[in-house]
Amino acid sequence: MSAVLVHPQASDTLSATGLRAMLRELEPGSVSLVGSAADADVVVYASHAVTGTELSRLREQAERCRAKHVLVVGEIPAICLHNLVTCRIHGVLSRAETDGPLIDRAVHCAHNGEGIFPPSLQGSLVVQLGQLQEKVLEPAGQTLMGLNPRDIEVLRLVSEGLCTSEIAVKLAYSERTVKNSVRSVISHLGARNRAQAVARALREGLI
């Protein structure tokens, strides 16, 4: 694994000292500590219990910086999807269980756009995702990834090796429509090309 640029933050001095010491043990191969969130790939934030005020600060920070966030907390908060998205929270760890290898894994998961959450929080998020899909996205013909049925069908045919013209004939679309759909899929999935879009869609169970 390549070194991830990490900025440690905490709600108090003692937590900050312990967090920095733990992260320094992972240097220089796994992580590299930086002095500000603006320079970081991932911000690791330690607190006994994340309050609404702290979440507001993390949200403001997420608006200014590109860094993703990992929380190390004493009490697992009942975080809603809105806060996960707006604060760019990709991991929540228990202070009592966090050690070097776990925080290392969480940092790299966050850096790769993946998530790591305790079982108690996973259940709540699954319920919220289900409600979002059923009440908001499905009536609008969308999926959780922001794709509509046409985009998914085009992507499925791309995964089968069909070219643009073949997809256009099969679905009775113009080639321009197919190209626009492919561009939309690549953008929504955060992919660089068709192959990566297909790989991510397969991993997410979209096709």
Side-chain angles (χ1 to χ4, degrees):
M1 294 183 293
S2 59
V4 178
L5 302 179
V6 176
H7 177 58
Q9 292 181 335
S11 60
D12 60 276
T13 303
L14 185 60
S15 295
T17 301
L19 177 60
R20 183 172 291 275
M22 184 174 292
L23 288 168
R24 286 208 178 280
E25 292 182 358
L26 303 175
E27 288 188 304
S30 186
V31 307
S32 179
L33 297 190
V34 294
S36 72
D39 297 325
D41 297 316
V42 178
V43 170
V44 180
Y45 186 86
S47 177
H48 290 283
V50 177
T51 64
T53 300
E54 287 175 289
L55 283 175
S56 295
R57 290 173 183 166
L58 291 177
R59 184 177 300 109
E60 292 173 1
Q61 181 168 268
E63 292 174 353
R64 298 192 308 269
C65 308
R66 63 184 176 86
K68 297 162 184 173
H69 291 81
V70 171
L71 306 183
V72 182
V73 294
E75 297 179 15
I76 303 298
I79 298 178
C80 69
L81 283 173
H82 171 74
N83 285 327
L84 285 181
V85 173
T86 58
C87 299
R88 291 206 192 101
I89 298 171
H90 283 254
V92 179
L93 307 178
S94 165
R95 286 173 67 108
E97 299 173 359
T98 297
D99 55 14
L102 180 56
I103 206 168
D104 185 38
R105 177 186 165 208
V107 163
H108 281 84
C109 280
H111 184 238
N112 293 331
E114 301 168 356
I116 178 169
F117 300 98
S120 60
L121 186 56
Q122 290 176 18
S124 171
L125 294 178
V126 168
V127 171
Q128 291 181 59
L129 283 171
Q131 292 174 342
L132 177 64
Q133 178 70 37
E134 178 182 354
K135 297 180 180 179
V136 179
L137 298 178
E138 285 184 359
Q142 298 289 322
T143 68
L144 286 168
M145 300 299 294
L147 304 178
N148 59 43
R150 182 186 67 192
D151 292 336
I152 293 175
E153 182 63 13
V154 168
L155 187 58
R156 183 183 66 78
L157 294 176
V158 169
S159 73
E160 295 177 2
L162 276 66
C163 67
T164 299
S165 60
E166 291 171 327
I167 295 173
V169 170
K170 192 173 185 65
L171 297 180
Y173 294 151
S174 69
E175 290 191 24
R176 182 176 181 178
T177 297
V178 173
K179 289 178 181 178
N180 288 340
S181 185
V182 170
R183 281 196 292 268
S184 174
V185 166
I186 290 173
S187 174
H188 275 95
L189 295 178
R192 293 190 298 270
N193 50 46
R194 292 186 178 201
Q196 191 175 74
V198 168
R200 293 189 176 182
L202 286 170
R203 185 176 62 199
E204 298 294 335
L206 294 175
I207 58 175

